Amino acid sequence: MSQTYPSSLYQMIASVEDHHFWFTARNTMITSLIHATISSPYTSKTFLEIGCGTGIVMATLEKLGFITTGLDVNEKALSYAAKRTHGKLIRQSIFRYTSAKRYDVVGAFDVLEHIRDDKGFLQACYRLLTVNGYLLLTVPAGRDMWSLVDTQSGHVRRYEYEELLEKLHSTGFKIVRQSYWNSLLLPFYRVWHNKKEVAAHLQKMPPIINMVLKWLFHVELLLSRFIRFYNGATMVVCAQK
């Protein structure tokens, strides 16, 4: 999470994220990205998640075998994370975090869009990686999709493909994999996203709707093995030092 994300939403997130279609589908997508780009076994690999929030991604990473560390500026978020992860949790900004340790993988999932100095953020990630280490990113895509949800979430920007890749290249990263996510539901997302406040996205959904949306994300993930999506609500990038 970031200093610009409303603390009042953490309790709501923690109460729904284990079953909510969006959080569970994102975890599945992140797991798939890891399997596609990072060689296993993961049991000896270290993973730093920047903006770990309530710890749902860290818990998934630990099931894969990673040795995890979570970094977040928000004490309330970390209090929730402590209940679901065995990894090390540190309350600190990436810009002030100093460590002699270098990580095999650094992840920032829906965090970079909150950061005004995003290039400085990427440079900090680069420094914290081992030689040939990996950076995994998810960010909201498309400036034309800016909405009330972005404003209320404390976003600074949504990203265009060329903009993000140029910043990664200029920092020294090479792109291993890039794709879009939340593509099949993009038309629905555009309409619903533009009309709802952020809290509406975090409400517990009727089970049948939640199940259908999970299924659609599952279909998208299967299709992504065979076709490339050229648009989506989220950009997904794996870069290497």
Side-chain angles (χ1 to χ4, degrees):
M1 300 297 179
S2 86
Q3 291 174 321
T4 63
Y5 195 81
S7 293
S8 60
L9 297 176
Y10 291 135
Q11 183 176 357
M12 188 177 292
I13 292 170
S15 68
V16 302
E17 61 187 351
D18 280 329
H19 306 289
H20 192 284
F21 76 92
W22 189 88
F23 292 102
T24 57
R26 189 182 67 157
N27 265 2
T28 301
M29 177 272 292
I30 291 170
T31 298
S32 179
L33 176 66
I34 289 170
H35 286 319
T37 55
I38 302 173
S39 60
S40 59
Y42 307 124
T43 49
S44 62
K45 289 183 169 65
T46 53
F47 197 118
L48 172 67
E49 186 189 358
I50 303 170
C52 63
T54 56
I56 186 171
V57 177
M58 282 185 68
T60 296
L61 297 172
E62 287 165 14
K63 288 177 183 177
L64 292 174
F66 286 104
I67 303 166
T68 61
T69 300
L71 201 65
D72 205 290
V73 296
N74 193 283
E75 185 176 7
K76 190 171 184 179
L78 291 175
S79 70
Y80 286 110
K83 298 174 183 178
R84 66 184 314 152
T85 175
H86 300 291
K88 184 178 182 180
L89 297 171
I90 302 170
R91 187 185 178 193
Q92 189 59 273
S93 162
I94 184 63
F95 295 103
R96 296 186 177 183
Y97 179 55
T98 57
S99 173
K101 185 176 183 178
R102 294 296 176 261
Y103 298 89
D104 298 304
V105 191
V106 170
F109 306 110
D110 300 298
V111 173
L112 192 62
E113 64 273 15
H114 294 269
I115 310 299
R116 292 197 176 277
D117 182 13
D118 56 350
K119 190 166 183 180
F121 182 100
L122 294 174
Q123 289 168 342
C125 292
Y126 191 90
R127 289 193 298 270
L128 286 166
L129 282 168
T130 58
V131 176
N132 297 322
Y134 292 92
L135 173 66
L136 305 182
L137 294 174
T138 62
V139 297
R143 293 191 192 99
D144 64 323
M145 292 180 60
W146 186 271
S147 74
L148 179 63
V149 170
D150 294 288
T151 302
Q152 292 183 340
S153 297
H155 293 175
V156 178
R157 68 188 70 77
R158 297 181 71 93
Y159 282 90
E160 299 296 334
Y161 168 79
E162 295 82 3
E163 173 191 9
L164 180 57
L165 297 195
E166 187 279 327
K167 288 179 178 179
L168 285 163
H169 282 304
S170 65
T171 306
F173 284 105
K174 55 185 178 182
I175 308 302
V176 175
R177 190 183 185 93
Q178 70 81 23
S179 61
Y180 285 97
W181 181 68
N182 198 350
S183 298
L184 292 183
L185 289 171
L186 187 59
F188 165 79
Y189 182 87
R190 283 182 178 274
V191 173
W192 194 59
H193 186 74
N194 287 332
K195 293 183 177 180
K196 297 286 186 179
E197 295 189 356
V198 64
H201 291 259
L202 302 174
Q203 298 290 337
K204 186 176 181 180
M205 304 191 72
I208 186 65
I209 295 176
N210 197 57
M211 183 179 67
V212 169
L213 293 173
K214 280 185 180 181
W215 179 80
L216 286 171
F217 273 108
H218 178 68
V219 170
E220 178 178 314
L221 194 61
L222 290 176
L223 289 174
S224 68
R225 299 177 184 178
F226 308 101
I227 63 175
R228 181 179 177 184
F229 291 103
Y230 287 90
N231 204 355
T234 298
M235 278 187 63
V236 182
V237 178
C238 174
Q240 190 173 25
K241 182 173 179 178

